Amino acid sequence: MATVLGTAAGTVGTSAAPPILDVRSLTTTIPTARGTLTVVDDVSFAVAQGECFGLVGESGSGKSMTLRSILGLIPPPGRVASGEVRHAGRDLVRLSQRELNRIRGREIAMIVQDAVSALNPVYRIGRQIGEPMLEHRIVKGARSARARAVALMAKVGIPAPEKRVDDFPHQFSGGMCQRVVIATALACDPGLLLADEPTTALDVTIQDQILKLLVALQRDLGLSLLLVTHDMGVVAQTCQRVAVMYAGQIVELVRTDALFRQPRHPYTAGLLNCVPRLDGPAVRLKPIPGAPPDLAAPPSGCRFHPRCPLATEACRSQRPELVEVAPGHFSRCIRHHEMPPDLWKRLDA
Amino acid sequence: MADAVLPPVKPVLAPPRRRVRWRQHTNMLVGGGILVAILLASIFADHLTPYGPLEQNLRNTLQPPSWAHPFGTDNFGRDIFTRVLHAAKLDLMICFLCVFFPWVLGTALGAVAGYFGGLVETIVMRIVDTFSAFPFLVMAIGIIAILGPGITSMYIALTLAGWSMYARIVRAEVLVVRQSEYVLAARALGYGHVRIMFGHILPNVITPTIIFAMTDIVLVILSTVSLSFLGLGVQPPTAEWGIILNEAKGFLLIAWWMVTLPGIVIVIVGLALSLFGDGVAQWLRERA
Amino acid sequence: MPEPLLQVTGLSKHFGGHRGLVARLGGVPAPRLVAVDDVSFSIARGEIFSLVGESGSGKTTLGRTILRLVEPTSGHIVFDGTDITTLRPAQLRKARRQIQMIFQDPVSSLNPRLTVRQMLGEVLRVHAVRPASQVQARIAELLALVGLPADSIDRTPKHFSGGQRQRIGIARALAVEPRFIVADEPVSAVDVSVQSQIMNLLLDLRERLGLTLLFIAHDLSVVRYLSDRVGVMYLGRIVEVGSRDQLFSAPRHPYTRALLSAAPRPDPNHRATIAAITGEPPSPLNPPSGCHFHTRCPLATDLCRSVAPLPELVAPGHEVRCHHHDHAAVTA
Ligand SMILES: Nc1ncnc2c1ncn2[C@@H]1O[C@H](COP(=O)(O)OP(=O)(O)OP(=O)(O)O)[C@@H](O)[C@H]1O
Ligand SMILES: Nc1ncnc2c1ncn2[C@@H]1O[C@H](COP(=O)(O)OP(=O)(O)OP(=O)(O)O)[C@@H](O)[C@H]1O
Ligand SMILES: [Mg+2]
Ligand SMILES: [Mg+2]
């Protein structure tokens, strides 16, 4: 798998520099009463310097667990069973919690979906933005932390930051809370931002504003962004490259435009086919039949085969690998070369 | 219309599997085992000991424990072991009923208050506040003082002193469940109040009340014994733990067994109830 | 034009505003929230009418007043010639056989303790929809209708996936054989692949059973896929209403246009044509004067700040509440 990875980062051509984050064969398991769930299964991808990389998939596909595995935040008894997470020459999987704490928030910051509950209701906004700086000793003293908090608030587009820095979270709307969370994440100038569905809880007009803010920050500060979402529209408008997850695995990984132009995995194709559009003719959607599998009893072979129109005996018995089907284009499907462009449209013929 | 009805999807989860893991429920098993054993012994007490609970033998008073009288005899020559065994039935029944009645009363009033809201709620909850303002035993004793001592008075007193907490719990739960969409759906389907309350709301709020009842049960058995000890509940000469203790208190210095051995039994029963209650509560929580 | 199945006129719902005894004595004014503000629209037989708008715009409240799950403060709802707002409880219960509701949350909208059989059986028995001997057959029929496997009948909700639960909710609503269904964001909490299954199911059911639907959503692409006509809500008011094509091809209200441009599109080459709107939706407890949208509107003038615009007909069946709808059309 190592070769696959090297190329994944290299062929994008965004930069020759080593990727800022290089995840290799990451596998995370959670023991439960119903058996051990492999919630992240052999996940490999690399985020290039200054890139916005998308992780897209349906509910339960393991997107959040992948992000948490990267920062060593898997709730026990779950654990990273194997694989590497390379960042700045280290393997994060092998670091102790104390060593990780020096990286969390400082070099890699995380934004969660529910911004309102991510803020502590009893502390003033300024203090919450300043806290990581003091913790990581980026600034000396509360005065300078506060000054920097005001600057950050201005940067994330909070109007009248000098006045609002002493407000409490409940005085902020959902969208403004998300801006505060982003400011907190930016406090220590991290190189990499992990964003777990940062706009899912927001209204479209606010989502639009937050996404534009993230893209602008990424461009202006040279940030790298790993963006988790379930919305193909969000991917299309913010990410350069994207990995599609299904039942804990990456099934396709490619540049965003190629993904939408020519998906090379039946699941991706099916997903794109059942998203209703705002333009173009209103044609009848062709849903993917069935539902994602129960991770306690995953299907044999390819995890998508029970729902796949292309499935053959080999798909049922043989576990497919993520292979490069075109330069920089990876697919976990043994029949990717036989995939007709109108795969899902022909279904009801 | 080729795909008028979509291909059926397989349910995601396996069908229900109800297997109680007994290992994880040692509390419940040990507690329950002790209770069942004591209860059975009490029911078949006539076959286990040759004496009757009220049978006096004035030539054989204040005997220390022996093979013939494991717990010794009291000042009337009654066999204490026999009396303690017979008392178990009565005490456990009183205890059960004194948890059951407040549970029913409290749940019903709490449900009505939570479901209908408004004036009904205000009235019920103000009564609840009034009742919970007094400490449990103080209130029970006060009510018995008004009604006069006796077993019926004790039922009434313990019910009135205990129901308010159930009403609180149920009302709070109902307020949450009432807002849930399945209750809204039931209203949208044109169901009547009775059906919604008993068929759709109560089954979903009952678990926490049972969990509370399980912790309450220990308090109640101790109160039962205390009230009778004070002469406010069951009346002598009936074999009852509180009475046994009361009668023994005058002989504390000359016949230690009269207080100590029944006392140990009461402690064991209290512990067993507590273990059993905790076990049941935990099991209910896991199931929820 | 044939008589519509549902006619809503001047409907309003205010929350709060009554005061407790203490507050009344103290003369403290109670905060009042206008969740639905003088809304009028009609839905023709067999039509799917959608309400779209951001969180807190009053869609759910409006949907629920139609079943009188929420009592309207004022206004009239005429369903098939009967004014629902004046029905007494007994009559109302009967009317609810005609109007049913599908809920957003597939988890909380099903009683967790009942199996599918108990749930559907109860509906059929309470309303005596079918004689007792046919209840079981009808349950099987309903399951097939919504695409659930027959062996799901004795399971409780927790044994189903989100999409399947949503189907159970739909089967429950269909059990009383209603003519009209209020579907409150039935596809917002399910995955995309399941979302299209549910939407197709709704379209098919309309076709087969001749249903009329009020469909509530916040996702414009979903609305475009399903609806015949659409109303856009902002802070309790319907600001624009028209046929699907009118709304999506020639939107006239600046808010509608902003919503359309903000919606993320699954197309990497798409570029928004109009500037995104700035600012946040105002608090419904203290809505802006005049036109509620003026605080975020690029076209706002003094007129907008002081006078609330009335609905104006800009094309047959296309109504807009904007002082500057002509201007909006020009800058499009
Ligand atoms: N604490 C846990 N114990 C057991 N299983 C868990 C736990 N947390 C998550 N899972 C399982 O792990 C899988 C992946 O979950 P994850 O939260 O990563 O999904 P996701 O892709 O982020 O989905 P969503 O879009 O719903 O956030 C799911 O099947 C979930 O049921
Ligand atoms: N029972 C209630 N009491 C007081 N206010 C309420 C109540 N129900 C709704 N509201 C308020 O009425 C307004 C409209 O709410 P509603 O739920 O109808 O919005 P919505 O458009 O359905 O939003 P969403 O997209 O979040 O579901 C909101 O400001 C809400 O806070
Ligand atoms: Mg997640
Ligand atoms: Mg709503």
Side-chain angles (χ1 to χ4, degrees):
Chain A
M1 287 308 292
T3 53
V4 171
L5 269 179
T7 35
T11 45
V12 200
T14 40
S15 78
I20 186 161
L21 184 77
D22 190 354
V23 178
R24 300 185 182 178
S25 302
L26 187 69
T27 301
T28 300
T29 54
I30 302 181
T32 67
R34 302 192 305 128
T36 298
L37 311 183
T38 308
V39 293
V40 178
D41 186 0
D42 189 23
V43 162
S44 304
F45 65 92
V47 181
Q49 203 83 45
E51 173 185 46
C52 176
F53 187 91
L55 211 50
V56 66
E58 294 183 272
S59 178
S61 58
K63 308 179 297 288
S64 300
M65 285 297 147
T66 304
L67 277 204
R68 288 165 144 245
S69 304
I70 290 172
L71 282 181
L73 293 172
I74 296 294
R79 62 187 196 94
V80 175
S82 64
E84 293 173 34
V85 176
R86 304 211 65 87
H87 168 74
R90 287 159 305 187
D91 180 3
L92 302 190
V93 173
R94 262 165 251 297
L95 297 188
S96 68
Q97 288 294 321
R98 252 187 82 198
E99 291 167 309
L100 277 174
N101 263 341
R102 251 175 273 150
I103 295 174
R104 293 182 191 138
R106 173 101 175 70
E107 295 171 36
I108 305 179
M110 185 152 163
I111 308 173
V112 294
Q113 171 175 339
D114 189 354
V116 178
S117 66
L119 295 174
N120 189 332
V122 302
Y123 293 132
R124 296 179 194 279
I125 294 296
R127 170 166 175 183
Q128 305 204 37
I129 301 179
E131 195 160 18
M133 305 179 220
L134 294 170
E135 173 72 23
H136 291 291
R137 306 216 167 77
I138 301 282
V139 295
K140 281 212 179 62
R143 292 269 305 270
S144 42
R146 188 189 144 96
R148 196 170 141 76
V150 172
L152 281 166
M153 286 170 72
K155 194 183 264 170
V156 297
I158 297 174
E162 307 83 12
K163 262 193 242 137
R164 305 223 60 183
V165 68
D166 290 324
D167 280 356
F168 287 97
H170 69 87
Q171 290 164 293
F172 279 60
S173 67
M176 282 299 154
C177 281
Q178 192 57 278
R179 285 177 198 266
V180 171
V181 168
I182 293 175
T184 314
L186 294 178
C188 298
D189 272 329
L192 175 65
L193 209 55
L194 311 182
D196 193 354
E197 314 231 17
T199 58
T200 303
L202 304 175
D203 279 323
V204 270
T205 54
I206 308 299
Q207 159 167 293
D208 191 45
Q209 294 170 5
I210 298 288
L211 288 178
K212 288 196 167 116
L213 170 69
L214 284 175
V215 168
L217 289 170
Q218 181 217 339
R219 199 184 46 224
D220 301 344
L221 307 178
L223 268 179
S224 310
L225 196 61
L226 177 54
L227 179 75
V228 163
T229 174
H230 65 269
D231 189 333
M232 280 295 188
V234 170
V235 170
Q237 304 203 328
T238 43
C239 303
Q240 277 98 54
R241 285 194 310 143
V242 54
V244 182
M245 288 194 74
Y246 184 75
Q249 300 175 328
I250 290 185
V251 294
E252 187 161 6
L253 188 161
V254 67
R255 283 179 64 108
T256 309
D257 49 353
L259 186 87
F260 285 87
R261 193 166 4 97
Q262 196 193 9
R264 300 293 291 269
H265 192 284
Y267 175 64
T268 319
L271 211 51
L272 289 175
N273 225 310
C274 61
V275 185
R277 307 281 168 148
L278 273 178
D279 31 35
V283 291
R284 189 177 169 92
L285 299 172
K286 296 293 174 300
I288 306 175
D294 178 11
L295 286 181
S300 62
C302 171
R303 291 192 167 182
F304 186 58
H305 86 252
R307 305 172 75 186
C308 181
L310 280 181
T312 61
E313 198 42 55
C315 301
R316 276 182 271 278
S317 56
Q318 184 183 330
R319 186 188 149 105
E321 294 292 324
L322 191 65
V323 293
E324 188 160 18
V325 297
H329 196 156
F330 298 83
S331 166
R332 200 185 275 275
C333 176
I334 55 171
R335 303 196 61 196
H336 61 85
H337 52 281
E338 298 167 65
M339 228 181 87
D342 56 349
L343 173 67
W344 292 93
K345 298 205 175 68
R346 299 192 311 186
L347 264 188
D348 58 349
Chain B
M1 291 298 286
D3 54 344
V5 169
L6 297 154
V9 253
K10 283 255 159 57
V12 176
L13 300 176
R17 206 170 35 134
R18 280 271 158 82
R19 226 184 56 217
V20 183
R21 274 173 241 272
W22 290 114
R23 276 271 192 77
Q24 296 170 6
H25 298 286
T26 33
N27 278 359
M28 196 158 80
L29 287 184
V30 171
I34 296 174
L35 290 176
V36 169
I38 290 181
L39 207 58
L40 284 179
S42 174
I43 292 168
F44 297 107
D46 286 337
H47 305 280
L48 289 178
T49 69
Y51 318 100
L54 302 178
E55 190 181 315
Q56 303 188 356
N57 182 351
L58 292 174
R59 269 170 307 171
N60 204 15
T61 57
L62 297 176
Q63 295 297 310
S66 64
W67 284 113
H69 300 286
F71 283 14
T73 61
D74 66 8
N75 52 326
F76 294 110
R78 294 176 297 197
D79 178 47
I80 297 179
F81 184 66
T82 307
R83 282 179 64 74
V84 168
L85 269 192
H86 278 272
K89 280 197 295 263
L90 180 63
D91 275 294
L92 285 175
M93 188 185 76
I94 295 175
C95 167
F96 173 77
L97 289 179
C98 286
V99 172
F100 182 73
F101 292 145
W103 177 72
V104 171
L105 182 68
T107 304
L109 287 177
V112 168
Y115 184 75
F116 290 103
L119 193 62
V120 180
E121 181 177 18
T122 310
I123 293 173
V124 172
M125 293 324 287
R126 289 301 80 79
I127 299 177
V128 165
D129 289 344
T130 313
F131 272 78
S132 35
F134 297 95
F136 183 75
L137 261 185
V138 172
M139 160 148 273
I141 292 171
I143 294 172
I144 293 178
I146 297 170
L147 298 175
I151 193 160
T152 318
S153 304
M154 188 164 68
Y155 282 132
I156 295 174
L158 288 182
T159 303
L160 289 180
W163 69 280
S164 59
M165 200 57 209
Y166 293 97
R168 278 228 168 118
I169 296 174
V170 169
R171 170 181 162 269
E173 293 283 322
V174 169
L175 283 184
V176 174
V177 173
R178 191 179 68 166
Q179 294 298 326
S180 75
E181 292 196 333
Y182 62 82
V183 170
L184 207 61
R187 283 175 60 203
L189 285 163
Y191 294 169
H193 291 309
V194 175
R195 176 176 291 277
I196 293 178
M197 201 148 94
F198 290 99
H200 294 261
I201 294 183
L202 267 188
N204 287 299
V205 302
I206 218 77
T207 308
T209 65
I210 297 178
I211 291 177
F212 179 75
M214 287 298 145
T215 57
D216 204 26
I217 204 164
V218 181
L219 175 67
V220 170
I221 188 115
L222 295 180
S223 312
T224 313
V225 174
S226 310
L227 288 177
S228 298
F229 177 83
L230 295 175
L232 299 172
V234 181
Q235 296 299 310
T238 318
E240 197 278 341
W241 291 336
I243 291 170
I244 296 175
L245 291 183
N246 183 318
E247 291 172 341
K249 70 175 191 289
F251 304 92
L252 207 55
L253 294 178
I254 49 171
W256 59 270
W257 57 89
M258 277 181 73
V259 178
T260 314
L261 297 178
I264 290 176
V265 172
I266 295 172
V267 169
I268 290 176
V269 168
L271 273 177
L273 280 174
S274 161
L275 282 176
F276 180 71
D278 279 356
V280 170
Q282 187 190 347
W283 175 62
L284 284 173
R285 269 188 226 113
E286 277 166 15
R287 238 182 35 145
Chain C
M1 204 175 134
E3 191 203 333
L5 183 62
L6 184 84
Q7 173 88 51
V8 173
T9 22
L11 191 71
S12 294
K13 173 66 191 177
H14 303 178
F15 286 112
H18 349 268
R19 292 183 282 150
L21 190 62
V22 179
R24 214 169 293 177
L25 291 177
V28 185
R32 198 181 55 158
L33 190 149
V34 182
V36 176
D37 187 4
D38 188 20
V39 161
S40 305
F41 63 93
S42 62
I43 305 182
R45 280 162 220 274
E47 183 177 67
I48 298 185
F49 182 90
S50 288
L51 280 175
V52 65
E54 291 182 285
S55 180
S57 54
K59 310 179 295 292
T60 297
T61 308
L62 177 51
R64 288 184 181 174
T65 51
I66 290 175
L67 278 84
R68 281 207 24 215
L69 292 172
V70 169
E71 291 294 335
T73 307
S74 61
H76 293 280
I77 303 164
V78 178
F79 179 79
D80 200 18
T82 319
D83 190 341
I84 299 183
T85 40
T86 57
L87 289 185
R88 261 182 292 258
Q91 300 167 301
L92 183 64
R93 241 173 259 163
K94 231 174 273 158
R96 283 184 179 157
R97 268 193 65 175
Q98 309 274 316
I99 311 179
Q100 272 305 301
M101 182 142 190
I102 306 173
F103 296 87
Q104 167 170 0
D105 186 348
V107 179
S108 79
S109 60
L110 301 177
N111 186 337
R113 298 202 175 238
L114 298 186
T115 64
V116 174
R117 187 198 297 277
Q118 291 166 334
M119 215 176 304
L120 298 181
E122 182 175 28
V123 182
L124 295 171
R125 272 187 297 274
V126 167
H127 287 284
V129 183
R130 292 291 156 96
S133 58
Q134 287 175 29
V135 164
Q136 297 306 322
R138 175 65 180 160
I139 293 176
E141 206 175 289
L142 283 167
L143 290 185
L145 192 64
V146 297
L148 280 169
D151 65 356
S152 47
I153 192 162
D154 285 316
R155 292 166 205 268
T156 52
K158 70 171 175 212
H159 299 287
F160 293 94
S161 68
Q164 288 174 321
R165 287 184 207 172
Q166 206 51 282
R167 287 169 197 255
I168 299 173
I170 295 175
R172 180 181 59 191
L174 292 177
V176 293
E177 296 167 24
R179 294 158 63 201
F180 183 80
I181 289 187
V182 176
D184 188 2
E185 310 220 22
V187 297
S188 299
V190 298
D191 277 319
V192 257
S193 73
V194 176
Q195 169 180 306
S196 50
Q197 293 175 358
I198 302 289
M199 291 196 297
N200 282 358
L201 175 64
L202 289 176
L203 284 173
D204 293 336
L205 289 172
R206 171 196 32 189
E207 199 97 321
R208 280 185 165 197
L209 308 175
L211 289 174
T212 306
L213 265 92
L214 172 62
F215 183 85
I216 296 172
H218 64 261
D219 183 339
L220 282 166
S221 53
V222 163
V223 165
R224 176 168 186 258
Y225 182 63
L226 275 178
S227 340
D228 302 308
R229 288 197 315 127
V230 184
V232 180
M233 286 190 81
Y234 190 74
L235 283 186
R237 294 181 184 159
I238 291 191
V239 295
E240 181 163 11
V241 58
S243 73
R244 174 180 64 186
D245 291 339
Q246 285 166 339
L247 233 108
F248 284 88
S249 319
R252 296 293 285 276
H253 198 284
Y255 178 62
T256 314
R257 285 148 38 77
L259 272 183
L260 275 168
S261 106
R265 301 182 191 225
D267 174 6
N269 300 318
H270 174 81
R271 292 287 168 266
T273 46
I274 60 169
I277 54 172
T278 51
E280 310 248 325
S283 158
L285 273 174
N286 185 16
S289 60
C291 171
H292 287 343
F293 188 57
H294 81 246
T295 50
R296 304 168 80 191
C297 183
L299 305 178
T301 58
D302 281 337
L303 179 65
C304 305
R305 283 181 267 276
S306 51
V307 182
L310 293 175
E312 265 183 73
L313 207 59
V314 295
H318 191 173
E319 267 182 13
V320 184
R321 273 195 174 195
C322 175
H323 293 302
H324 303 296
H325 59 81
D326 295 326
H327 187 262
V330 176
T331 52

